[in-house]
Amino acid sequence: GETDKSGAANYTKPQATKFDLPARAVFPVEHTKHLMNAAIDGSVMDRTLVFDGSELNKLYTAVSFIGKVKTGKDVKIPEGVAGTDILRNLSAWPFTVSYFDQATQSSAGEQGPSHEISFVMFENGISTGLTMSYENFALNGTLSELTLFEPTECTQ
């Protein structure tokens, strides 16, 4: 998407409301693509404004750290999951992404993140080893099934 144009989020439920989005804000899928491109380009850190739509009027500054590139052979891939053989020949990067709520950030920048996510992402966008850490709990995700689809031609 074009990050140099502002936009808006229009909610219909639970009540009709509109939220203006700054020009540089991106949605989560665009953020993932942005992180992959940053990793491929050799970046070790990224800062992006993300709007995920989970809460009204909430924007996050996502501060991402990108680890050194690995080969799929060096990544722990769960055994017995069909289709994961293709991952062993791909490059992968470890990521840690900290999400800072724009509305509660202090001017001194001392506020901690509202949540953090760490994972390993392969160059094709498939991830494994997901950990989502919140203030009072954490969630771990494991790649347990992989279904690959044939790419289709973009109609736009």
Side-chain angles (χ1 to χ4, degrees):
E2 294 183 53
T3 58
D4 59 342
K5 294 184 179 179
S6 61
N10 293 304
Y11 290 89
T12 56
K13 292 184 179 180
Q15 62 189 30
T17 186
K18 182 178 177 182
F19 175 57
D20 290 328
L21 297 171
R24 63 192 193 287
V26 298
F27 293 110
V29 171
E30 187 68 25
H31 182 233
T32 300
K33 289 170 32 181
H34 178 78
L35 288 179
M36 180 51 57
N37 288 331
I40 290 169
D41 290 344
S43 297
V44 295
M45 187 196 155
D46 179 77
R47 181 182 298 264
T48 303
L49 191 60
V50 178
F51 175 72
D52 70 5
S54 63
E55 295 182 55
L56 295 177
N57 304 343
K58 191 164 279 202
L59 284 165
Y60 292 99
T61 298
V63 178
S64 307
F65 292 94
I66 307 166
K68 291 185 179 183
V69 65
K70 303 172 178 257
T71 66
K73 294 177 181 92
D74 297 325
V75 175
K76 184 177 179 190
I77 300 171
E79 292 185 28
V81 179
T84 57
D85 288 347
I86 64 154
L87 301 176
R88 301 202 186 284
N89 296 321
L90 300 178
S91 296
W93 294 264
F95 289 85
T96 299
V97 185
S98 299
Y99 292 88
F100 295 87
D101 184 344
Q102 285 279 289
T104 60
Q105 280 189 329
S106 68
S107 59
E110 296 174 12
Q111 173 110 10
S114 69
H115 60 288
E116 291 185 320
I117 300 175
S118 61
F119 54 93
V120 174
M121 185 165 45
F122 292 90
E123 63 185 275
N124 63 358
I126 294 172
S127 297
T128 189
L130 175 73
T131 300
M132 300 173 71
S133 301
Y134 296 87
E135 186 176 338
N136 297 318
F137 65 96
L139 302 170
N140 291 319
T142 302
L143 181 63
S144 60
E145 184 178 332
L146 180 60
T147 303
L148 301 174
F149 297 96
E150 288 296 320
T152 59
E153 194 171 315
C154 183
T155 58
Q156 290 190 11

